[in-house]
Amino acid sequence: MRKDFSLFFLLVSLFSFLTLLDIQGASTDPQNADPSISIFYSIKKPIELIYPKQLQVSTTKKWSLEEVIQRALDANPEVVSARKAIEQQEGIKMQFKARLYPHGGLVYRAQREQSSLLMFLPTIEAYPLTRTSWLGAVQIKQTILNVGAVKEARQQKEILEKVIWQSMDVALRTVAQAKEAFYYTLFRQEVVEIREELTEASRAIAEYTQKMFKEGEIPEFQALSAQAEYSTSLGDLAQARSAYVKAREQLRMILNMPSSQENDPLYLAGQNDLPSFEVPYDEALKIALQKRTDLNEALHSLSAAHAAVAAAQSSYYPTLDALLQYENISNVYILYPKWGWTAGVQGQWNFFDIMENNGRIKTQKALENIAQVKVSQLKVDIPAQLRELYQQIKRSKEAVAFQQTAVNDAEKAFDQARKLFESGETNWVQAVTARQALLKAKLANAEARFNYNAALARLEYAVGGQLPAQ
């Protein structure tokens, strides 16, 4: 009897243990779990959508705006090439300027003459003593009169000034591009983060409405609408990630940062803050007409064209050089070589090259007219660009104000929905929907802030590289 009771107790214990294992397996296996519970495990958990977790701070190198600008000025290929163009033009200027200074060298000529019966005719006063003649000398020349060389030297001086302003223009334009790319990358990164949260919220609502439809509590169109909203969120997230990668790689190209990885992140430190700007239009226009780099480049280009026309017109004038040389000479009529000094003046006047000179003058005058047209066009374009940028900044500032009001209202609505959820007066769907509205408001606000900063960066270049003190 005691043996049968022990066997029965063992069987009961084994059955209880197996039942407990089955209950635990059912509670941990999502496929065997209650459908009403699986919806909460299939998402991040609704409570995390209402109280989103804080993002972890990366310890990777982060680039500030100042570091991005300095990197662009140091490594951007266009900026580096512009600096080298200054060195090139300095060398060209030295070559033309050297024509106005004394220059010298060694001169040597030699020739051998063949004997001829004509040399021994009775009419020849002197007979050749040798067949070989030569001239060796140390020669120095100094330009006395060369109007063309003077005008060409002036032209090269103006071209050098033009290249310097051109280099400054490239540098300032690169700075503006780097700033705009920096703010754009930050904006796209923020868009991706917001789209990820919106996608999570849409997925949770879509799964919840699908469950309610299957239980017959809501019509099918509501579940389909929620599913369509979730699919749209997935598409928006994919586009946001693609736009972020494009913005990041554009910034990397401006900074000339090579990478061998397919997906190499670029971390930035900063936010799309809104710097104040209250400079009057008239003051900005006055500064732009004085410091605008492309306008100064065009003005020096026009001055160089004036000098080029003057150099072409100087082709009608003669040239005059002073000559001094110490020579050793021997010719067929001198038995022994002679040493001595030779000093004199050499002149040249090409007064038969009328057609060539006229063609050269006509060409330079046409280039002068083109340079004048560019200056005139810039004086028209600069005020127009400033007016456009001022309107962009004004409208962007208004948009930021409206979007900030929308964010404040959405934050109040979300705060109330969260309190109602905490008190049990509403479900989590209403709280998550309120958070969706807040995220969409933040998305529009981020775009408005980027538009303001981008317009301000372009305006900084438009006034000559630095905004006046406010």
Side-chain angles (χ1 to χ4, degrees), residues 61 75 86 135 152 176 215 260 266 270 297 320 333 350 352 434:
K61 162 69 178 175
I86 296 178
L135 171 67
E152 288 176 350
E215 293 179 356
S260 58
L266 181 63
E297 174 193 348
L320 198 61
Y333 301 105
N350 300 323
F352 290 108

Side-chain angles (χ1 to χ4, degrees), residues 160-175:
L160 176 59
E161 293 294 330
K162 167 197 169 185
V163 172
I164 292 175
W165 281 102
Q166 185 179 20
S167 176
M168 293 172 59
D169 183 72
V170 172
L172 293 178
R173 188 185 299 112
T174 302
V175 169

